[in-house]
Amino acid sequence: MSDRLEPPKPKRSREAEAAPTAEIIKKPKGKWQLFGLDVFTIGGIDLIFFGIVIALLTIGLIMLFSATYPYALYKYGDSYYFIKRQVAFSVGGVVVMLLISKLNYRLLLKFKWVIFAVTVGLLGLVLVYHTNVPGGFRRWMQLGPITIQPSDIAKFCLVLILADYISKNYKQMHKPIQGIVYPVLITALFAGLVFLEHHNSGTLLLFTIGAVMMFSGGSNGKLFAIGFAIAIAAIIFIIFNPNVMMEYAGERIVAWLDKDYDPLGARWQTNNSLYAIGSGGLWGAGLGNSRQKFLYVSEPQNDFIFSIVCEELGFIRSSLIIALFGALFVRGIKIATHTGDRFGSFLVIGIVSQVAIQTILNILVVTDWFPNTGISLPFFSYGGTAILMLLGEMGIVLSVSRKSNQKKV
């Protein structure tokens, strides 16, 4: 053996010794920053969710044209009146959706109070500045060439505010004040302003969205159950005492309970909706072959468009459309549970729950399981600002989905 001494090995710092096994978990800052946050986000969008959205939008546009061209010709002298406007807003909405999907959804937190102030301002303004609609409805306001419905914006704003509140108070949501009182007050503010518009369906939708988000956020189960029981009791009381509601709302409840009530008036739209659904059978009369759309189903471009869908496509294919809505909800929940960010998770839960609740209520109405509430069917019913808001919300869900698809760097 050689007596030559080996040169001493240089000592390595603790950082150097740890370097071979350490994982870089710090994401590099992006080029574009705002309020200390990256403006754009990396990662791929959820292609399944995107595909479902595009499928629903495409089917909705086809059925909107098929359901509305006789009424559009009768009222406006142009068979394409509704579809050409809806296509324009839909194309713009898809562009907005793709743009928003690339933006960092957490930037919404920096603008939440601006969004809140604008929403509440519009909800207040529409009470004094609105289009003249018989029955005292104060839901729409004219802004230049377009008509907007502030309650569409209110649905998203409620989801945003509650998602922020629940994510910050998640560990306190089991307590009565933090988990019940504050979220109910937030929801009641929006719902109360919408109720003043004589918009009962919008009021119901807002309260239901709030309840779903509270339940998802971990509100006290016993207190939540008590509140739910009180709400059910109030609904039952109203059903059997419709005179406590506004005149038009009370009459709709009476018409729902009494199937022989005013067949040429309050029951006209619902009865013809049922005739359309029944005429469709299993496979439908064929695309474009509805008879009820020829001025029997009133304003088929809005709340009762699904009855025309059932008449032309039949039970089987209409059920597949319902399944698509179900898939949108399920996929959205999967995105929410995989994002790893509590705010993003509750934001997605609120958005997809809004679509699901609105779809369920609309179908219950057209099938006469629920009083006529005047609630639209997402992706199908006519409405420019409504489709823009809806596709913008889908863009937010896609933005959140990018977070769960990000690769480690």
Side-chain angles (χ1 to χ4, degrees):
M1 294 182 62
S2 172
D3 293 330
R4 189 173 58 183
L5 296 176
E6 293 286 339
K9 294 181 180 181
K11 290 186 178 181
R12 302 175 68 191
S13 66
R14 293 180 182 176
E15 293 80 7
E17 290 186 7
T21 59
E23 185 182 36
I24 301 173
I25 58 174
K26 197 171 183 180
K27 190 179 76 166
K29 293 285 185 181
K31 181 179 179 181
W32 300 95
Q33 294 256 314
L34 188 64
F35 301 111
L37 294 171
D38 289 342
V39 173
F40 301 105
T41 185
I42 62 172
I45 61 173
D46 190 288
L47 292 177
I48 295 177
F49 187 87
F50 177 73
I52 295 171
V53 170
I54 295 301
L56 283 170
L57 180 63
T58 302
I59 298 170
L61 289 172
I62 293 170
M63 292 312 306
L64 179 68
F65 176 62
S66 180
T68 61
Y69 69 81
Y71 179 66
L73 181 62
Y74 169 76
K75 187 169 183 179
Y76 299 101
D78 180 4
S79 298
Y80 300 94
Y81 179 85
F82 294 113
I83 188 60
K84 65 186 180 183
R85 285 164 172 75
Q86 192 77 346
V87 167
F89 277 106
S90 296
V91 170
V94 170
V95 173
V96 169
M97 176 177 67
L98 293 174
L99 175 61
I100 291 177
S101 75
K102 188 59 182 172
L103 298 177
N104 187 348
Y105 65 90
R106 292 194 65 85
L107 285 171
L108 288 168
L109 291 172
K110 303 299 182 180
F111 295 97
K112 65 180 179 180
W113 295 121
V114 175
I115 296 171
F116 174 82
V118 170
T119 303
V120 172
L122 289 174
L123 289 173
L125 181 61
V126 77
L127 298 178
V128 294
Y129 172 69
H130 50 264
T131 56
N132 294 319
V133 179
F137 299 106
R138 299 186 286 268
R139 304 179 186 179
W140 301 273
M141 57 193 302
Q142 193 76 29
L143 292 180
I146 64 171
T147 302
I148 70 168
Q149 190 171 5
S151 59
D152 288 330
I153 304 172
K155 290 180 290 188
F156 168 68
C157 188
L158 174 63
V159 169
L160 173 62
I161 299 299
L162 283 180
D164 178 45
Y165 173 83
I166 294 173
S167 64
K168 289 179 178 176
N169 297 275
Y170 185 73
K171 294 183 179 180
Q172 308 295 321
M173 286 296 290
H174 65 283
K175 296 180 179 180
I177 300 298
Q178 290 86 347
I180 299 291
V181 176
Y182 287 159
V184 167
L185 289 176
I186 293 169
T187 304
L189 171 63
F190 291 97
L193 287 170
V194 171
F195 179 76
L196 293 176
E197 301 175 4
H198 292 190
H199 194 356
N200 292 326
S201 58
T203 305
L204 175 63
L205 181 59
L206 286 165
F207 266 119
T208 309
I209 292 170
V212 169
M213 294 194 69
M214 288 167 58
F215 180 79
S216 303
S219 292
N220 185 284
K222 292 181 180 179
L223 293 175
F224 190 88
I226 292 172
F228 184 75
I230 292 172
I232 294 297
I235 291 172
I236 293 173
F237 175 79
I238 291 171
I239 288 175
F240 288 100
N241 298 273
N243 57 301
V244 302
M245 298 293 290
M246 300 173 202
E247 182 179 350
Y248 78 94
E251 186 180 30
R252 288 181 176 181
I253 294 173
V254 172
W256 175 62
L257 293 172
D258 183 0
K259 308 306 179 184
D260 295 324
Y261 178 83
D262 195 12
L264 298 179
R267 285 286 308 180
W268 173 265
Q269 194 172 31
T270 302
N271 286 345
N272 282 285
S273 171
L274 295 176
Y275 297 152
I277 294 170
S279 300
L282 280 178
W283 295 105
L287 184 63
N289 293 331
S290 165
R291 295 182 179 180
Q292 296 302 119
K293 68 187 177 186
F294 286 93
L295 308 185
Y296 289 101
V297 174
S298 308
E299 299 193 14
Q301 78 278 12
N302 286 327
D303 317 335
F304 280 75
I305 189 173
F306 192 69
S307 62
I308 307 300
V309 173
C310 292
E311 184 182 6
E312 295 193 348
L313 301 186
F315 176 78
I316 301 297
R317 284 175 284 198
S318 297
S319 297
L320 292 177
I321 291 174
I322 295 174
L324 267 180
F325 278 108
L328 183 83
F329 176 76
V330 171
R331 193 66 187 182
I333 296 301
K334 184 174 182 180
I335 291 170
T337 55
H338 285 76
T339 183
D341 173 41
R342 196 166 282 148
F343 168 69
S345 179
F346 285 116
L347 196 60
V348 172
I349 288 172
I351 289 172
V352 296
S353 295
Q354 169 200 319
V355 176
I357 295 165
Q358 197 166 326
T359 301
I360 291 169
L361 287 176
N362 178 273
I363 293 174
L364 288 176
V365 167
V366 300
T367 53
D368 203 24
W369 283 91
F370 200 77
N372 190 343
T373 60
I375 199 163
S376 60
L377 181 63
F379 297 105
F380 283 72
S381 294
Y382 175 73
T385 54
I387 198 68
L388 279 175
M389 281 297 305
L390 178 60
L391 291 174
E393 289 175 321
M394 297 303 100
I396 293 172
V397 175
L398 291 173
S399 174
V400 176
S401 76
R402 289 183 188 273
K403 186 173 180 62
S404 59
N405 290 332
Q406 286 176 5
K407 296 178 181 179
K408 290 183 178 180
V409 292

